[in-house]
Amino acid sequence: MEEKTKMNLTLSIDRAFYLLKHFSKIDSKTRFFFIQNNYTNELIESALCSSGSKFNYRFCKNPFELIEKIERLQPLHFFKQENGNEVYIFTIESNFIGVDNLIPLEDLTLTERSKIKYELRNGYEIGTFTTKKMHPTKECVLVLKSDSNEVVTIFPGIYAPPFPISIANEELKLKAEYFWANHLFLINQ
């Protein structure tokens, strides 16, 4: 079963569940929907508690509502990834839509830089910084499969390239390495 939107985007139940990692809570109707589709409360809570960029509950209460809101907007930027997926970047002119879990290294003081930790994510070592202060954002990134208009992911915050380990093109790989050498994941304390 797939949910069709006015822009002809498709959001499968599995992909909608995947998007829960960008929410800290969802409405009870959506929780019941996932339970009816064989996702347990434990799986739902685990997804909601994962670290990363999160949408503000006041902005949208579930992945389906998010798609409905985004489909009415015009993207500010569009480009294709090396794998052909399409990336759309939106700025939403309202109160903040969520928190971004990426921060430029240059935004940290020297004292804060001494507290950076490194961890492997998908086979690539990235920097992390634990903080109580998250970054509110009005930006949103939508990634679609180019051959089907299926939503791959959507998250609040700035676009981040794939980890360099997965990039074949040498020029794009260098750009990704530069990005990840100069950006950190924020971990909410």
Side-chain angles (χ1 to χ4, degrees):
M1 177 180 173
E2 293 184 335
E3 176 89 7
K4 284 272 190 190
T5 66
K6 296 171 198 153
M7 288 177 51
N8 296 320
L9 299 178
T10 57
L11 181 63
S12 69
I13 294 169
D14 288 341
R15 190 50 49 176
F17 181 79
Y18 170 81
L19 295 179
L20 290 184
K21 72 181 187 174
H22 295 297
F23 291 80
S24 54
K25 65 180 180 176
I26 55 172
D27 59 289
S28 57
K29 182 179 173 185
T30 304
R31 181 180 292 272
F32 184 68
F33 171 81
F34 283 119
I35 290 169
Q36 283 184 312
N37 284 280
N38 301 316
Y39 292 96
T40 64
N41 258 323
E42 291 78 20
L43 287 172
I44 294 167
E45 283 304 313
S46 178
L48 295 173
C49 291
S50 65
S51 63
S53 299
K54 302 285 185 178
F55 285 103
N56 181 343
Y57 187 76
R58 291 183 186 140
F59 173 67
C60 62
K61 295 172 178 43
N62 62 65
F64 304 107
E65 180 184 344
L66 174 61
I67 294 298
E68 288 175 12
K69 286 182 179 260
I70 294 301
E71 72 184 357
R72 291 184 233 134
L73 302 173
Q74 291 296 320
L76 292 179
H77 304 287
F78 162 81
F79 61 92
K80 284 196 174 209
Q81 292 177 320
E82 180 184 48
N83 62 7
N85 286 347
E86 299 172 350
V87 177
Y88 297 86
I89 299 175
F90 300 88
T91 297
I92 293 138
E93 295 302 324
S94 65
N95 292 331
F96 78 99
I97 64 162
V99 292
D100 188 352
N101 78 326
L102 286 175
I103 186 171
L105 180 61
E106 66 188 21
D107 286 3
L108 297 182
T109 66
L110 288 176
T111 303
E112 290 171 328
R113 288 181 190 199
S114 70
K115 298 175 183 172
I116 294 172
K117 295 185 178 162
Y118 291 89
E119 63 182 60
L120 279 180
R121 292 213 181 171
N122 298 335
Y124 189 75
E125 188 175 72
I126 55 103
T128 64
F129 180 72
T130 302
T131 182
K132 290 181 181 177
K133 186 176 89 176
M134 299 303 280
H135 286 251
T137 186
K138 292 182 178 191
E139 288 189 49
C140 179
V141 178
L142 169 66
V143 181
L144 301 177
K145 282 189 179 177
S146 60
D147 60 347
S148 67
N149 272 353
E150 180 182 345
V151 174
V152 174
T153 192
I154 185 168
F155 55 89
I158 63 170
Y159 173 77
F163 295 129
I165 198 164
S166 65
I167 300 175
N169 177 295
E170 204 53 44
E171 181 182 346
L172 294 175
K173 186 174 190 167
L174 287 172
K175 286 180 180 179
E177 286 173 348
Y178 180 81
F179 179 90
W180 287 109
N182 290 287
H183 288 80
L184 307 166
F185 275 119
L186 292 176
I187 307 295
N188 196 4
Q189 191 173 40

